[in-house]
Amino acid sequence: MNRSFRRARHMGVAAAAIILAVATQGRSDQQQGAAPIGDAEAGAAVFAEDCAACHQIGKGATDQVGPQLTGIFDRPAGAIEGFDYSPALQRMGADGLIWRLKTLDAFLANPVAMVSDTAMIFDGIADSPRRQDLLAFLRAHSAQPGDIPESAPTAKAILFELPPETAALVGDPEYGQYLAQECATCHQGDGSAEGIPAITGWPAPDFMAAMHAYKAKLRPHPVMQMMAGRLDDEQIAALAAYYEQIGE
Amino acid sequence: MSWNRRHFLAMTGMATGTALLPAPMVMAQARPRVVVIGGGTGGATVARYLAKDSEGALDVLLIEPTRRYYTCYFSNLYLGGFWDYDALGHGYANLASDNGVNVVHDWAIGVDRDARTVRLGGGGSVGYERLVVAPGIDFVEGSVPGWDVSSQHIMPHAYKAGSQTQLLKAQIEAMPEGGTFAMVAPPNPYRCPPGPYERVSMVAHLLKQSNPTAKILIVDPKESFSKQALFEEGWQKHYSGMITRIGPDFGGNNVEVRPQTMEIVIDGEAEKADVCNVIPAQKAGLIAADAGLTDDTGWAPVTPQDMRSRLDRNVFVLGDSSAQGDMPKSGFSANSQAKVAANVIRADLTGSRAFPARYSNTCWSLIADGDGVKVGASYEPSEDKISSVESFVSKTGEDTDLRRQTYEESIGWYKGITADVFGAPTA
């Protein structure tokens, strides 16, 4: 089952594969030719099974529990006027997150890697072919390739799975405490959040996923991209271990 | 030996009566003492982290003359009407009660580096194993001819927050209709590179509402300044026609002031002003020079790995008064440097783990209501200085949602850093 409550997921699932879509250095999507993303018809079935309880798509689709998804490609996150998005999703939208192949793929693989406190109660689709089919389906309900040349919508994302040994790293919390001093300048130690989100008591796998997403520049935000950009895998694991301990 | 809170409190209580008696070496043997001069962002952070993380193994004594510290950062927002004056102020009670810092409200008036003692204005002296000097800035005498501290009540600098900031605000509010606010901007390097230009933005915001025909004149010795494209775009957008900047090509580097007649003489030509904010050239806080820690630049050179004075291995210099390399003189920088120094000092004196230095900085500025911008960078020690590794800056033409979010983020940052420096208000 893909659908479950996030809380349950936090408690139950340990370092399940953290999957991130990352552009291979030096090769843009355009250079990949026009390989189809996936099978849109199979994607329709995935949509029906995993998404349709909360989302509508296609002609006449309206917002339900979740926003309608027609034209999702190239739409900034949180952009549908009048829909009551979570603060986390609004923040990502203001930071500049745009739903494109790579960002949607990362979001669908693990929603909290991209939007930590998303209200979308969905575990993600770890199975890559299944996800690609869904993306192809969503793509078919967005503006067509010719309209948005820069988004390279027909090219396949270059998928990169965070190596299991990285995802499974157990950090040194004492080192994490030292590294966290840098975070404490902005993120409050008591977990209060005003203008800047709280990061205390956060499950380590989610923390790591979010930091790697910033490091890969999938998540927008210049300060966080810079901070995460110079943390290595061990340091990210150390911070995750430290922050998981405090504020619980 | 391990310390718990009760041991520690007992020790602190015991020491209260004797701490300032002239027998410092005896105390120093009991627990190594670190004396911190200056309770601003750098000094308070290092004191708090040393005390907190050593769990009582270090005797941390902070010397700060004022009972309440007013941050320079966000003081421009007070000028613009976005922030309360009281919200700029921070006391030292949390450092004393939650972290066990011995807060001494006095002036440090001399350092004997051979005897390792600091002399106090109120009499007596305290000994130290390690000394941290974080006195902020002082002004270079004669840098703006015609101005000295005796005229700061007429032409305020408002570059050390407090009564000067309140005075400047009162002067702006009392300006006659269509009057002129003039600023003499400082040469590099100085505290808070975007500060003067954020101040101009905030003054413009205030005047636009209360005195829309007023003019703002910036006299600037520098060719360019921090976030220039962002500020100039914002001034055009929000305060079109109000702000004029005279750079060095037009005499901005040849300025004197006449406080008695409220005149600014630019390249020999006198201009009248109704308010004149003089921000002189700057140097390390006086005690750093008195202690022999500065060089002929007026700043105190430090080694990039640890913020240790190049002139004395037992002394660390933090924040604005240090000469470290690429980091701007900002509260964020001082806070970042203080954590590095605290880690090194603790390792020196208690044998705790030493981790490699990491530095970072971000400076937010407010241009108009909800129009926030930021610039930041990460830094690492290189061979001879702290070097910038990666940086970013807000872009011109950003949409209003992002600018508002940046502003809200800056408020979050203010609350975060002041809790990190002075301790969170007890829940």
Side-chain angles (χ1 to χ4, degrees):
Chain A
M1 275 304 289
N2 282 318
R3 221 168 289 135
S4 66
F5 286 95
R6 269 194 69 207
R7 194 44 56 189
R9 174 181 174 281
H10 281 166
M11 294 189 292
V13 185
I18 297 165
I19 299 163
L20 296 172
V22 174
T24 305
Q25 276 190 341
R27 298 169 76 199
S28 74
D29 287 342
Q30 280 87 343
Q31 291 167 306
Q32 301 306 301
I37 306 168
D39 178 349
E41 222 166 286
V46 178
F47 188 88
E49 197 176 317
D50 284 0
C51 317
C54 301
H55 294 280
Q56 291 188 357
I57 193 165
K59 216 174 171 148
T62 55
D63 298 340
Q64 304 295 319
V65 176
Q68 64 90 2
L69 297 175
T70 312
I72 180 81
F73 272 78
D74 258 24
R75 189 160 85 194
I80 291 185
E81 209 62 44
F83 184 78
D84 185 20
Y85 290 98
S86 65
L89 202 91
Q90 288 174 32
R91 177 193 307 283
M92 282 293 137
D95 276 347
L97 177 62
I98 294 175
W99 295 125
R100 298 211 163 103
L101 196 56
K102 276 183 251 171
T103 49
L104 262 181
D105 189 49
F107 184 64
L108 290 173
N110 183 4
V112 294
M114 291 297 287
V115 184
S116 303
D117 276 315
T118 175
M120 185 167 83
I121 299 163
F122 183 60
D123 261 3
I125 304 172
D127 176 42
S128 178
R130 189 175 156 84
R131 206 167 58 238
Q132 301 314 302
D133 292 346
L134 176 59
L135 286 164
F137 172 75
L138 294 172
R139 186 72 200 81
H141 285 282
S142 288
Q144 288 311 298
D147 305 338
I148 341 167
E150 74 278 7
S151 69
T154 56
K156 244 189 159 79
I158 309 301
L159 285 178
F160 164 80
E161 292 194 9
L162 204 60
E165 62 270 25
T166 306
L169 270 181
V170 177
D172 168 0
E174 194 183 346
Y175 189 25
Q177 183 178 6
Y178 170 72
L179 296 169
Q181 294 179 359
E182 195 164 33
C183 315
T185 303
C186 300
H187 296 278
Q188 301 232 36
D190 65 2
S192 58
E194 191 181 332
I196 291 179
I199 56 172
T200 53
W202 204 5
D206 292 359
F207 190 105
M208 286 167 60
M211 293 301 278
H212 281 288
Y214 279 123
K215 191 174 161 79
K217 301 201 190 297
L218 283 171
R219 272 196 186 217
H221 194 275
V223 180
M224 286 311 304
Q225 288 182 353
M226 183 182 80
M227 291 295 177
R230 65 168 176 163
L231 294 167
D232 62 25
D233 295 350
E234 185 202 346
Q235 290 168 329
I236 289 175
L239 278 168
Y242 172 69
Y243 273 111
E244 189 173 49
Q245 286 178 357
I246 63 167
E248 278 286 74
Chain B
M1 178 166 59
S2 76
W3 291 86
N4 61 29
R5 190 172 169 82
R6 182 174 306 179
H7 280 134
F8 166 61
L9 288 176
M11 166 68 93
T12 310
M14 204 171 70
T16 312
T18 56
L20 297 186
L21 292 181
M25 300 320 286
V26 177
M27 286 304 298
Q29 279 162 18
R31 285 194 299 165
R33 182 185 291 149
V34 181
V35 171
V36 181
I37 299 177
T41 300
T45 304
V46 79
R48 180 164 175 270
Y49 271 77
L50 283 170
K52 178 169 75 71
D53 293 341
S54 72
E55 295 172 348
L58 293 176
D59 175 9
V60 182
L61 189 151
L62 174 67
I63 305 170
E64 164 58 44
T66 66
R67 259 72 173 172
R68 198 161 175 79
Y69 180 82
Y70 289 86
T71 61
C72 255
Y73 39 95
F74 270 49
S75 66
N76 287 329
L77 273 65
Y78 157 70
L79 293 177
F82 293 100
W83 205 251
D84 285 341
Y85 181 73
D86 286 344
L88 294 172
H90 304 273
Y92 295 91
N94 294 328
L95 290 186
S97 62
D98 294 353
N99 303 115
V101 174
N102 184 357
V103 182
V104 176
H105 290 300
D106 203 341
W107 285 93
I109 55 167
V111 176
D112 183 337
R113 291 197 280 114
D114 295 326
R116 288 197 212 164
T117 55
V118 177
R119 202 148 52 83
L120 298 173
S125 65
V126 286
Y128 64 82
E129 291 295 315
R130 296 289 181 277
L131 175 66
V132 181
V133 179
I137 53 157
D138 271 305
F139 299 120
V140 176
E141 275 177 49
S143 67
V144 179
W147 188 93
D148 63 26
V149 287
S150 70
S151 48
Q152 70 174 16
H153 62 306
I154 304 170
M155 293 186 169
H157 55 76
Y159 231 61
K160 299 177 187 183
S163 56
Q164 277 277 302
T165 321
Q166 291 178 299
L167 172 63
L168 183 62
K169 180 157 186 172
Q171 289 185 347
I172 297 164
E173 287 171 342
M175 268 172 66
E177 201 181 318
T180 297
F181 171 95
M183 169 188 281
V184 178
N188 289 321
Y190 61 94
R191 161 179 285 181
C192 187
Y197 310 98
E198 181 189 56
R199 174 170 296 175
V200 162
S201 308
M202 291 295 94
V203 171
H205 172 80
L206 197 66
L207 291 175
K208 191 178 168 184
Q209 300 162 71
S210 61
N211 192 347
T213 55
K215 297 286 177 209
I216 296 175
L217 176 68
I218 311 167
V219 188
D220 201 333
K222 302 182 293 298
E223 290 283 356
S224 60
F225 58 89
S226 172
K227 300 181 190 165
Q228 184 162 358
L230 295 168
F231 280 116
E232 288 178 348
E233 177 195 51
W235 293 346
Q236 185 64 38
K237 180 177 171 190
H238 303 290
Y239 317 115
S240 180
M242 192 181 239
I243 301 166
T244 306
R245 175 171 169 267
I246 298 178
D249 293 348
F250 295 91
N253 56 351
N254 180 18
V255 176
E256 70 167 273
V257 294
R258 295 173 185 155
Q260 295 315 321
T261 54
M262 284 304 286
E263 285 176 307
I264 313 163
V265 186
I266 306 161
D267 235 1
E269 254 181 70
E271 299 267 351
K272 286 289 262 184
D274 299 289
V275 177
C276 187
N277 175 206
V278 176
I279 309 174
Q282 296 161 28
K283 61 181 182 181
L286 275 180
I287 188 74
D290 282 355
L293 299 168
T294 55
D295 61 19
D296 53 17
T297 66
W299 306 98
V302 295
T303 46
Q305 296 76 18
D306 48 14
M307 300 303 294
R308 225 184 263 269
S309 167
R310 287 188 184 274
L311 302 165
D312 187 332
R313 302 282 296 162
N314 294 317
V315 180
F316 295 73
V317 185
L318 301 179
D320 293 353
S321 53
S322 66
Q324 32 68 24
D326 294 348
M327 296 183 80
K329 299 185 185 301
S330 72
F332 198 125
S333 292
N335 173 265
S336 173
Q337 294 161 6
K339 291 164 183 173
V340 169
N343 184 251
V344 172
I345 293 169
R346 216 152 52 80
D348 266 11
L349 298 178
T350 71
S352 64
R353 279 168 79 183
F355 297 105
R358 308 173 64 81
Y359 302 100
S360 54
N361 176 65
T362 300
C363 291
W364 286 265
S365 301
L366 187 60
I367 298 176
D369 190 5
D371 191 356
V373 293
K374 60 188 167 187
V375 58
S378 56
Y379 303 86
E380 277 170 13
S382 58
E383 205 165 299
D384 57 349
K385 63 168 188 171
I386 296 178
S387 297
S388 173
V389 182
E390 197 190 337
S391 66
F392 67 86
V393 60
S394 295
K395 295 176 179 59
T396 53
E398 285 172 342
D399 70 36
T400 51
D401 282 357
L402 178 55
R403 290 294 178 86
R404 179 160 292 282
Q405 179 158 309
T406 302
Y407 170 56
E408 284 164 5
E409 186 178 274
S410 74
I411 294 171
W413 168 77
Y414 187 86
K415 299 198 167 165
I417 192 171
T418 51
D420 192 43
V421 174
F422 298 101
T426 323

